[in-house]
């Protein structure tokens, strides 16, 4: 699990966004097939989507804050 967490942390917001899109496509496909009735699969997929959505937002906010700091300096106070 540690390797998965490390991989997650070193992805950019753009990469995380792409991964979320892939997982959403996988979920849509699953809902259109018999996999929708596989509770364990759907639960795991929903959990993974939640983790990656959270990471996407965190990475995007961090990248925006870093850019802002690079352009105008760090906040003081």
């Amino acid at each position: 699990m540690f390797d998965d967490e490390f991989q997650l942390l070193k992805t950019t917001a753009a990469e995380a966004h792409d991964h979320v899109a892939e997982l959403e496509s996988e979920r849509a496909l699953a809902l259109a097939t018999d996999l929708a009735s596989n509770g364990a699969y759907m639960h795991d997929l929903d959990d993974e989507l939640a983790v990656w959505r959270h990471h996407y937002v965190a990475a995007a906010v961090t990248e925006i804050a870093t850019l802002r700091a690079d352009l105008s300096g760090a906040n003081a106070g």
Side-chain angles (χ1 to χ4, degrees):
M1 177 108 177
F2 180 75
D3 290 337
D4 291 340
E5 291 173 11
F6 182 72
Q7 184 66 30
L8 178 78
L9 291 175
K10 65 181 208 173
T11 59
T12 66
E15 292 167 336
H17 179 268
D18 291 345
H19 194 69
V20 167
E22 290 171 7
L23 289 170
E24 288 173 342
S25 294
E26 181 179 343
R27 189 175 192 286
L29 182 61
L31 289 173
T33 65
D34 292 337
L35 282 174
S37 62
N38 184 329
Y41 174 79
M42 295 304 292
H43 179 73
D44 286 348
L45 186 55
D46 287 340
D47 284 351
E48 187 174 358
L49 254 169
V51 167
W52 277 94
R53 284 178 178 146
H54 177 81
H55 174 66
Y56 167 58
V57 171
V61 169
T62 300
E63 289 176 17
I64 291 166
T66 301
L67 177 61
R68 192 213 52 80
D70 287 345
L71 294 174
S72 55
N75 283 341

